[in-house]
Amino acid sequence: KDMKKNMCVAVASGLVALFVLPTVVGAQKLVVVVRHAERADGGAGTATMTGTPADPPLSAAGEARAGRLAGMLAESGVTAIFVTEFRRTQDTAKPLAAKLGLTAHVTKAADTTALLERLKTAHGTDVVLVVGHSNTMPAIIKGLTGDTVTIPDSQYDDLFVLVPATRTMSRFKY
């Protein structure tokens, strides 16, 4: 009789754990991908006289968007932020990084492969923010989900939430 009671308790405990407690197996990291906010120089394609890409700060609208992003993601569980070597990505992430006490990791805009590898291996179940460019975001999204997206040069308000473990994506406007 005691053995039967113990077995019932064990089965009931297992069911409670299965349906009530979060499991490690079900944990999935999220990668939030956004384009840098609006540039002070008016847009992509601007180059200096030497032919190198311009590295402008954010415009007033861009600074406001960076603030909105920080407000949206402040309680999302972000534990790592990745930006490129360009000031506009760093300035877009700066309000959130300051709010969370994080230092953004700088990766070369041209090295999407290294970024993808780092996201896949170094951040287990983390929630990660990646701030990229209209020409780098599609490769990042494709590498993590298989989905193909297009980001026009004039568009700054897309926020993509990716679940690499299930290769799913949701697209929001902010």
Side-chain angles (χ1 to χ4, degrees), residues 63-77:
E63 289 175 7
R65 185 176 305 282
R68 281 195 304 278
L69 181 66
M72 287 177 60
L73 298 180
E75 295 185 32
S76 65

Side-chain angles (χ1 to χ4, degrees), residues 132-144:
H133 304 270
S134 61
N135 63 341
T136 63
M137 289 173 58
I140 294 165
I141 292 166
K142 182 135 181 114
L144 295 173

